[in-house]
């Protein structure tokens, strides 16, 4: 899956070094990693550990992870993945992590177009969902600009790596909505420099 500015390729252990360089925590600055349910894996062993577990989940059939690669230089700068794959009910979730220097460039929106197109047109999903830490206001704004529908908040449902009880906002896109939503996203990518953050 690719566009002019982004290539999604199956995640490999060889991507871990790039990801450690482009997505690692920066001391004294807020990080997208703070909002992820899988943050403990990163804190245990960096991106080697995180990528390793994502690949284990791929083997079990629950996840399908991709490296987000800058096609101009071949450098991985993020991860996006299908997760909680429920083939029996044609439902899947998308989660994304983008390195700081690649944020606010519309790449998240582009990745969502590629992933949603694959989910609905290839996987034949009936529903795609997103769960976002309610503290991550940039990602919530991004998903709402995308056109996903807000369904509610799961309160204090996850204990995070730092002891915080995470509440998550849930959004979804349904197959019957995709026909109208896809051209809107394509138009937004072509005509706007929307500030984007990982969801």
């Amino acid at each position: 899956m690719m566009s002019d500015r982004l290539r999604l390729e199956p995640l490999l252990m060889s991507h871990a070094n790039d990801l450690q360089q482009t997505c690692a925590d920066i001391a004294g600055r807020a990080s997208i990693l703070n909002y992820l349910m899988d943050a403990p894996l990163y804190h245990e062993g960096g991106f080697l550990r995180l990528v390793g577990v994502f690949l284990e989940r791929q083997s079990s059939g629950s996840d399908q992870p991709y490296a987000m690669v800058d096609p101009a230089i071949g450098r991985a700068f993020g991860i996006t993945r299908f997760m909680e794959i429920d083939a029996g009910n044609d439902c899947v979730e998308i989660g994304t992590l983008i390195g700081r220097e690649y944020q606010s460039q519309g790449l998240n929106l582009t990745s969502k177009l590629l992933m949603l197109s694959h989910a609905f047109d290839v996987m034949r999903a009936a529903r795609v969902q997103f769960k976002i830490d309610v503290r991550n206001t940039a990602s919530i704004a991004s998903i709402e600009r995308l056109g996903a529908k807000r369904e509610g908040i799961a309160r204090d449902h996850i204990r995070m790596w730092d002891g915080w009880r995470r509440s998550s906002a849930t959004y979804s896109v349904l197959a019957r909505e995709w026909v109208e939503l896809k051209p809107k996203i394509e138009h937004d990518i072509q005509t706007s420099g929307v500030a984007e953050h990982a969801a």
Side-chain angles (χ1 to χ4, degrees):
M1 292 183 281
M2 72 177 295
S3 72
D4 292 342
R5 301 174 57 225
L6 171 65
R7 181 171 73 244
L8 300 184
E9 56 188 51
L11 185 67
L12 301 170
M13 286 304 301
S14 57
H15 291 118
N17 185 58
D18 278 354
L19 294 166
Q20 190 67 38
Q21 298 299 316
T22 57
C23 301
D25 276 334
I26 299 173
R29 298 179 68 179
S31 167
I32 187 67
L33 290 159
N34 294 333
Y35 302 124
L36 298 184
M37 292 181 283
D38 290 309
L41 300 173
Y42 170 76
H43 291 283
E44 286 172 14
F47 275 91
L48 278 173
R49 173 75 171 133
L50 194 65
V51 170
V53 172
F54 286 175
L55 293 178
E56 289 172 9
R57 292 177 187 166
Q58 178 176 329
S59 296
S60 74
S62 67
D63 285 34
Q64 190 173 322
Y66 296 90
M68 302 175 71
V69 176
D70 182 340
I73 59 175
R75 183 189 196 195
F77 61 84
I79 298 172
T80 188
R81 60 191 172 118
F82 296 114
M83 49 198 277
E84 297 189 15
I85 297 171
D86 182 355
N89 290 302
D90 303 318
C91 296
V92 67
E93 183 172 332
I94 294 174
T96 305
L97 163 68
I98 299 177
R100 182 178 297 277
E101 70 179 277
Y102 285 88
Q103 294 175 12
S104 302
Q105 299 181 32
L107 293 168
N108 185 44
L109 187 61
T110 300
S111 78
K112 293 299 189 294
L113 175 64
L114 294 172
M115 292 289 279
L116 286 165
S117 294
H118 189 79
F120 290 119
D121 302 337
V122 178
M123 298 171 73
R124 299 298 178 189
R127 165 191 167 87
V128 176
Q129 75 172 15
F130 308 86
K131 292 199 298 285
I132 307 168
D133 190 318
V134 295
R135 299 171 296 170
N136 189 354
T137 56
S139 288
I140 286 174
S142 176
I143 275 301
E144 290 182 348
R145 282 194 299 268
L146 179 77
K149 305 296 186 187
R150 185 169 178 143
E151 297 181 332
I153 295 176
R155 300 180 301 161
D156 289 1
H157 72 122
I158 298 169
R159 181 182 292 109
M160 300 296 282
W161 68 276
D162 58 359
W164 177 264
R165 298 290 313 189
R166 169 177 154 162
S167 296
S168 298
T170 301
Y171 291 80
S172 68
V173 177
L174 304 182
R176 62 178 177 267
E177 299 165 343
W178 179 236
V179 174
E180 293 185 3
L181 191 58
K182 183 176 182 179
K184 174 188 175 298
I185 297 171
E186 291 172 334
H187 178 265
D188 287 349
I189 289 171
Q190 292 172 359
T191 62
S192 69
V194 176
E196 289 294 326
H197 298 271

mmCIF file with all atom_site columns, all heavy atoms in Angstrom, residues 25 33-34 38-46 49-50 161-162:
data_model
loop_
_atom_site.group_PDB
_atom_site.id
_atom_site.type_symbol
_atom_site.label_atom_id
_atom_site.label_alt_id
_atom_site.label_comp_id
_atom_site.label_asym_id
_atom_site.label_entity_id
_atom_site.label_seq_id
_atom_site.pdbx_PDB_ins_code
_atom_site.Cartn_x
_atom_site.Cartn_y
_atom_site.Cartn_z
_atom_site.occupancy
_atom_site.B_iso_or_equiv
_atom_site.pdbx_formal_charge
_atom_site.auth_seq_id
_atom_site.auth_comp_id
_atom_site.auth_asym_id
_atom_site.auth_atom_id
_atom_site.pdbx_PDB_model_num
ATOM 1   N N   . ASP A 1 25  ? 10.996 8.184  22.820 1.00 0.00 ? 25  ASP A N   1
ATOM 2   C CA  . ASP A 1 25  ? 10.728 9.287  23.742 1.00 0.00 ? 25  ASP A CA  1
ATOM 3   C C   . ASP A 1 25  ? 11.877 10.286 23.725 1.00 0.00 ? 25  ASP A C   1
ATOM 4   O O   . ASP A 1 25  ? 13.051 9.902  23.613 1.00 0.00 ? 25  ASP A O   1
ATOM 5   C CB  . ASP A 1 25  ? 10.588 8.769  25.175 1.00 0.00 ? 25  ASP A CB  1
ATOM 6   C CG  . ASP A 1 25  ? 9.187  8.272  25.474 1.00 0.00 ? 25  ASP A CG  1
ATOM 7   O OD1 . ASP A 1 25  ? 8.247  8.750  24.827 1.00 0.00 ? 25  ASP A OD1 1
ATOM 8   O OD2 . ASP A 1 25  ? 9.040  7.424  26.358 1.00 0.00 ? 25  ASP A OD2 1
ATOM 9   N N   . LEU A 1 33  ? 3.860  7.880  22.788 1.00 0.00 ? 33  LEU A N   1
ATOM 10  C CA  . LEU A 1 33  ? 4.001  6.598  23.464 1.00 0.00 ? 33  LEU A CA  1
ATOM 11  C C   . LEU A 1 33  ? 3.309  6.587  24.824 1.00 0.00 ? 33  LEU A C   1
ATOM 12  O O   . LEU A 1 33  ? 2.897  5.533  25.307 1.00 0.00 ? 33  LEU A O   1
ATOM 13  C CB  . LEU A 1 33  ? 5.485  6.244  23.626 1.00 0.00 ? 33  LEU A CB  1
ATOM 14  C CG  . LEU A 1 33  ? 6.208  5.894  22.316 1.00 0.00 ? 33  LEU A CG  1
ATOM 15  C CD1 . LEU A 1 33  ? 7.704  6.051  22.462 1.00 0.00 ? 33  LEU A CD1 1
ATOM 16  C CD2 . LEU A 1 33  ? 5.846  4.492  21.868 1.00 0.00 ? 33  LEU A CD2 1
ATOM 17  N N   . ASN A 1 34  ? 3.177  7.757  25.432 1.00 0.00 ? 34  ASN A N   1
ATOM 18  C CA  . ASN A 1 34  ? 2.509  7.818  26.732 1.00 0.00 ? 34  ASN A CA  1
ATOM 19  C C   . ASN A 1 34  ? 1.047  7.418  26.649 1.00 0.00 ? 34  ASN A C   1
ATOM 20  O O   . ASN A 1 34  ? 0.449  7.039  27.656 1.00 0.00 ? 34  ASN A O   1
ATOM 21  C CB  . ASN A 1 34  ? 2.596  9.237  27.308 1.00 0.00 ? 34  ASN A CB  1
ATOM 22  C CG  . ASN A 1 34  ? 4.012  9.636  27.653 1.00 0.00 ? 34  ASN A CG  1
ATOM 23  O OD1 . ASN A 1 34  ? 4.842  8.791  27.950 1.00 0.00 ? 34  ASN A OD1 1
ATOM 24  N ND2 . ASN A 1 34  ? 4.290  10.925 27.614 1.00 0.00 ? 34  ASN A ND2 1
ATOM 25  N N   . ASP A 1 38  ? 0.192  -0.266 24.606 1.00 0.00 ? 38  ASP A N   1
ATOM 26  C CA  . ASP A 1 38  ? 1.389  -1.110 24.555 1.00 0.00 ? 38  ASP A CA  1
ATOM 27  C C   . ASP A 1 38  ? 2.646  -0.393 25.028 1.00 0.00 ? 38  ASP A C   1
ATOM 28  O O   . ASP A 1 38  ? 3.756  -0.886 24.816 1.00 0.00 ? 38  ASP A O   1
ATOM 29  C CB  . ASP A 1 38  ? 1.597  -1.631 23.135 1.00 0.00 ? 38  ASP A CB  1
ATOM 30  C CG  . ASP A 1 38  ? 0.543  -2.647 22.734 1.00 0.00 ? 38  ASP A CG  1
ATOM 31  O OD1 . ASP A 1 38  ? 0.343  -3.602 23.511 1.00 0.00 ? 38  ASP A OD1 1
ATOM 32  O OD2 . ASP A 1 38  ? -0.066 -2.494 21.673 1.00 0.00 ? 38  ASP A OD2 1
ATOM 33  N N   . ALA A 1 39  ? 2.496  0.762  25.665 1.00 0.00 ? 39  ALA A N   1
ATOM 34  C CA  . ALA A 1 39  ? 3.658  1.497  26.168 1.00 0.00 ? 39  ALA A CA  1
ATOM 35  C C   . ALA A 1 39  ? 4.558  0.661  27.076 1.00 0.00 ? 39  ALA A C   1
ATOM 36  O O   . ALA A 1 39  ? 5.784  0.821  27.036 1.00 0.00 ? 39  ALA A O   1
ATOM 37  C CB  . ALA A 1 39  ? 3.211  2.774  26.881 1.00 0.00 ? 39  ALA A CB  1
ATOM 38  N N   . PRO A 1 40  ? 4.006  -0.252 27.908 1.00 0.00 ? 40  PRO A N   1
ATOM 39  C CA  . PRO A 1 40  ? 4.912  -1.064 28.744 1.00 0.00 ? 40  PRO A CA  1
ATOM 40  C C   . PRO A 1 40  ? 5.934  -1.844 27.933 1.00 0.00 ? 40  PRO A C   1
ATOM 41  O O   . PRO A 1 40  ? 7.066  -2.031 28.380 1.00 0.00 ? 40  PRO A O   1
ATOM 42  C CB  . PRO A 1 40  ? 3.952  -2.007 29.486 1.00 0.00 ? 40  PRO A CB  1
ATOM 43  C CG  . PRO A 1 40  ? 2.663  -1.273 29.538 1.00 0.00 ? 40  PRO A CG  1
ATOM 44  C CD  . PRO A 1 40  ? 2.600  -0.523 28.232 1.00 0.00 ? 40  PRO A CD  1
ATOM 45  N N   . LEU A 1 41  ? 5.559  -2.302 26.747 1.00 0.00 ? 41  LEU A N   1
ATOM 46  C CA  . LEU A 1 41  ? 6.505  -3.040 25.910 1.00 0.00 ? 41  LEU A CA  1
ATOM 47  C C   . LEU A 1 41  ? 7.661  -2.141 25.509 1.00 0.00 ? 41  LEU A C   1
ATOM 48  O O   . LEU A 1 41  ? 8.823  -2.561 25.522 1.00 0.00 ? 41  LEU A O   1
ATOM 49  C CB  . LEU A 1 41  ? 5.795  -3.572 24.660 1.00 0.00 ? 41  LEU A CB  1
ATOM 50  C CG  . LEU A 1 41  ? 4.627  -4.520 24.908 1.00 0.00 ? 41  LEU A CG  1
ATOM 51  C CD1 . LEU A 1 41  ? 3.912  -4.827 23.591 1.00 0.00 ? 41  LEU A CD1 1
ATOM 52  C CD2 . LEU A 1 41  ? 5.111  -5.797 25.573 1.00 0.00 ? 41  LEU A CD2 1
ATOM 53  N N   . TYR A 1 42  ? 7.346  -0.901 25.135 1.00 0.00 ? 42  TYR A N   1
ATOM 54  C CA  . TYR A 1 42  ? 8.398  0.047  24.770 1.00 0.00 ? 42  TYR A CA  1
ATOM 55  C C   . TYR A 1 42  ? 9.313  0.305  25.962 1.00 0.00 ? 42  TYR A C   1
ATOM 56  O O   . TYR A 1 42  ? 10.546 0.332  25.824 1.00 0.00 ? 42  TYR A O   1
ATOM 57  C CB  . TYR A 1 42  ? 7.782  1.354  24.276 1.00 0.00 ? 42  TYR A CB  1
ATOM 58  C CG  . TYR A 1 42  ? 8.793  2.458  24.120 1.00 0.00 ? 42  TYR A CG  1
ATOM 59  C CD1 . TYR A 1 42  ? 9.664  2.471  23.023 1.00 0.00 ? 42  TYR A CD1 1
ATOM 60  C CD2 . TYR A 1 42  ? 8.926  3.458  25.074 1.00 0.00 ? 42  TYR A CD2 1
ATOM 61  C CE1 . TYR A 1 42  ? 10.616 3.455  22.885 1.00 0.00 ? 42  TYR A CE1 1
ATOM 62  C CE2 . TYR A 1 42  ? 9.871  4.451  24.939 1.00 0.00 ? 42  TYR A CE2 1
ATOM 63  C CZ  . TYR A 1 42  ? 10.719 4.451  23.848 1.00 0.00 ? 42  TYR A CZ  1
ATOM 64  O OH  . TYR A 1 42  ? 11.668 5.430  23.720 1.00 0.00 ? 42  TYR A OH  1
ATOM 65  N N   . HIS A 1 43  ? 8.735  0.488  27.131 1.00 0.00 ? 43  HIS A N   1
ATOM 66  C CA  . HIS A 1 43  ? 9.550  0.779  28.314 1.00 0.00 ? 43  HIS A CA  1
ATOM 67  C C   . HIS A 1 43  ? 10.362 -0.435 28.769 1.00 0.00 ? 43  HIS A C   1
ATOM 68  O O   . HIS A 1 43  ? 11.392 -0.269 29.421 1.00 0.00 ? 43  HIS A O   1
ATOM 69  C CB  . HIS A 1 43  ? 8.666  1.323  29.433 1.00 0.00 ? 43  HIS A CB  1
ATOM 70  C CG  . HIS A 1 43  ? 8.132  2.694  29.143 1.00 0.00 ? 43  HIS A CG  1
ATOM 71  N ND1 . HIS A 1 43  ? 8.895  3.836  29.273 1.00 0.00 ? 43  HIS A ND1 1
ATOM 72  C CD2 . HIS A 1 43  ? 6.921  3.111  28.703 1.00 0.00 ? 43  HIS A CD2 1
ATOM 73  C CE1 . HIS A 1 43  ? 8.181  4.893  28.921 1.00 0.00 ? 43  HIS A CE1 1
ATOM 74  N NE2 . HIS A 1 43  ? 6.980  4.487  28.573 1.00 0.00 ? 43  HIS A NE2 1
ATOM 75  N N   . GLU A 1 44  ? 9.946  -1.632 28.399 1.00 0.00 ? 44  GLU A N   1
ATOM 76  C CA  . GLU A 1 44  ? 10.708 -2.840 28.724 1.00 0.00 ? 44  GLU A CA  1
ATOM 77  C C   . GLU A 1 44  ? 11.935 -2.986 27.828 1.00 0.00 ? 44  GLU A C   1
ATOM 78  O O   . GLU A 1 44  ? 12.986 -3.429 28.279 1.00 0.00 ? 44  GLU A O   1
ATOM 79  C CB  . GLU A 1 44  ? 9.831  -4.082 28.542 1.00 0.00 ? 44  GLU A CB  1
ATOM 80  C CG  . GLU A 1 44  ? 8.789  -4.286 29.617 1.00 0.00 ? 44  GLU A CG  1
ATOM 81  C CD  . GLU A 1 44  ? 7.836  -5.424 29.251 1.00 0.00 ? 44  GLU A CD  1
ATOM 82  O OE1 . GLU A 1 44  ? 8.151  -6.201 28.308 1.00 0.00 ? 44  GLU A OE1 1
ATOM 83  O OE2 . GLU A 1 44  ? 6.786  -5.527 29.899 1.00 0.00 ? 44  GLU A OE2 1
ATOM 84  N N   . GLY A 1 45  ? 11.787 -2.660 26.545 1.00 0.00 ? 45  GLY A N   1
ATOM 85  C CA  . GLY A 1 45  ? 12.891 -2.962 25.635 1.00 0.00 ? 45  GLY A CA  1
ATOM 86  C C   . GLY A 1 45  ? 12.895 -2.187 24.344 1.00 0.00 ? 45  GLY A C   1
ATOM 87  O O   . GLY A 1 45  ? 13.397 -2.684 23.323 1.00 0.00 ? 45  GLY A O   1
ATOM 88  N N   . GLY A 1 46  ? 12.341 -0.973 24.366 1.00 0.00 ? 46  GLY A N   1
ATOM 89  C CA  . GLY A 1 46  ? 12.365 -0.129 23.180 1.00 0.00 ? 46  GLY A CA  1
ATOM 90  C C   . GLY A 1 46  ? 11.590 -0.742 22.023 1.00 0.00 ? 46  GLY A C   1
ATOM 91  O O   . GLY A 1 46  ? 10.722 -1.595 22.200 1.00 0.00 ? 46  GLY A O   1
ATOM 92  N N   . ARG A 1 49  ? 11.524 -4.648 21.372 1.00 0.00 ? 49  ARG A N   1
ATOM 93  C CA  . ARG A 1 49  ? 10.502 -5.380 22.122 1.00 0.00 ? 49  ARG A CA  1
ATOM 94  C C   . ARG A 1 49  ? 9.111  -5.139 21.523 1.00 0.00 ? 49  ARG A C   1
ATOM 95  O O   . ARG A 1 49  ? 8.332  -6.073 21.341 1.00 0.00 ? 49  ARG A O   1
ATOM 96  C CB  . ARG A 1 49  ? 10.529 -4.926 23.585 1.00 0.00 ? 49  ARG A CB  1
ATOM 97  C CG  . ARG A 1 49  ? 9.423  -5.481 24.461 1.00 0.00 ? 49  ARG A CG  1
ATOM 98  C CD  . ARG A 1 49  ? 9.662  -6.916 24.824 1.00 0.00 ? 49  ARG A CD  1
ATOM 99  N NE  . ARG A 1 49  ? 8.715  -7.358 25.826 1.00 0.00 ? 49  ARG A NE  1
ATOM 100 C CZ  . ARG A 1 49  ? 8.038  -8.500 25.755 1.00 0.00 ? 49  ARG A CZ  1
ATOM 101 N NH1 . ARG A 1 49  ? 8.225  -9.321 24.740 1.00 0.00 ? 49  ARG A NH1 1
ATOM 102 N NH2 . ARG A 1 49  ? 7.203  -8.836 26.710 1.00 0.00 ? 49  ARG A NH2 1
ATOM 103 N N   . LEU A 1 50  ? 8.808  -3.897 21.219 1.00 0.00 ? 50  LEU A N   1
ATOM 104 C CA  . LEU A 1 50  ? 7.482  -3.553 20.697 1.00 0.00 ? 50  LEU A CA  1
ATOM 105 C C   . LEU A 1 50  ? 7.223  -4.250 19.365 1.00 0.00 ? 50  LEU A C   1
ATOM 106 O O   . LEU A 1 50  ? 6.175  -4.886 19.166 1.00 0.00 ? 50  LEU A O   1
ATOM 107 C CB  . LEU A 1 50  ? 7.372  -2.037 20.544 1.00 0.00 ? 50  LEU A CB  1
ATOM 108 C CG  . LEU A 1 50  ? 5.976  -1.455 20.334 1.00 0.00 ? 50  LEU A CG  1
ATOM 109 C CD1 . LEU A 1 50  ? 5.099  -1.689 21.551 1.00 0.00 ? 50  LEU A CD1 1
ATOM 110 C CD2 . LEU A 1 50  ? 6.074  0.043  20.042 1.00 0.00 ? 50  LEU A CD2 1
ATOM 111 N N   . TRP A 1 161 ? 1.179  2.069  31.865 1.00 0.00 ? 161 TRP A N   1
ATOM 112 C CA  . TRP A 1 161 ? 2.489  1.691  32.397 1.00 0.00 ? 161 TRP A CA  1
ATOM 113 C C   . TRP A 1 161 ? 2.898  2.523  33.600 1.00 0.00 ? 161 TRP A C   1
ATOM 114 O O   . TRP A 1 161 ? 3.630  2.061  34.471 1.00 0.00 ? 161 TRP A O   1
ATOM 115 C CB  . TRP A 1 161 ? 3.547  1.810  31.296 1.00 0.00 ? 161 TRP A CB  1
ATOM 116 C CG  . TRP A 1 161 ? 3.817  3.228  30.878 1.00 0.00 ? 161 TRP A CG  1
ATOM 117 C CD1 . TRP A 1 161 ? 3.125  3.962  29.973 1.00 0.00 ? 161 TRP A CD1 1
ATOM 118 C CD2 . TRP A 1 161 ? 4.834  4.083  31.381 1.00 0.00 ? 161 TRP A CD2 1
ATOM 119 N NE1 . TRP A 1 161 ? 3.639  5.225  29.865 1.00 0.00 ? 161 TRP A NE1 1
ATOM 120 C CE2 . TRP A 1 161 ? 4.697  5.324  30.718 1.00 0.00 ? 161 TRP A CE2 1
ATOM 121 C CE3 . TRP A 1 161 ? 5.854  3.934  32.317 1.00 0.00 ? 161 TRP A CE3 1
ATOM 122 C CZ2 . TRP A 1 161 ? 5.538  6.404  30.975 1.00 0.00 ? 161 TRP A CZ2 1
ATOM 123 C CZ3 . TRP A 1 161 ? 6.697  5.003  32.570 1.00 0.00 ? 161 TRP A CZ3 1
ATOM 124 C CH2 . TRP A 1 161 ? 6.539  6.220  31.902 1.00 0.00 ? 161 TRP A CH2 1
ATOM 125 N N   . ASP A 1 162 ? 2.414  3.777  33.675 1.00 0.00 ? 162 ASP A N   1
ATOM 126 C CA  . ASP A 1 162 ? 2.777  4.671  34.765 1.00 0.00 ? 162 ASP A CA  1
ATOM 127 C C   . ASP A 1 162 ? 1.747  4.675  35.895 1.00 0.00 ? 162 ASP A C   1
ATOM 128 O O   . ASP A 1 162 ? 1.826  5.489  36.813 1.00 0.00 ? 162 ASP A O   1
ATOM 129 C CB  . ASP A 1 162 ? 2.972  6.095  34.246 1.00 0.00 ? 162 ASP A CB  1
ATOM 130 C CG  . ASP A 1 162 ? 1.725  6.660  33.543 1.00 0.00 ? 162 ASP A CG  1
ATOM 131 O OD1 . ASP A 1 162 ? 0.713  5.919  33.442 1.00 0.00 ? 162 ASP A OD1 1
ATOM 132 O OD2 . ASP A 1 162 ? 1.781  7.814  33.100 1.00 0.00 ? 162 ASP A OD2 1
#
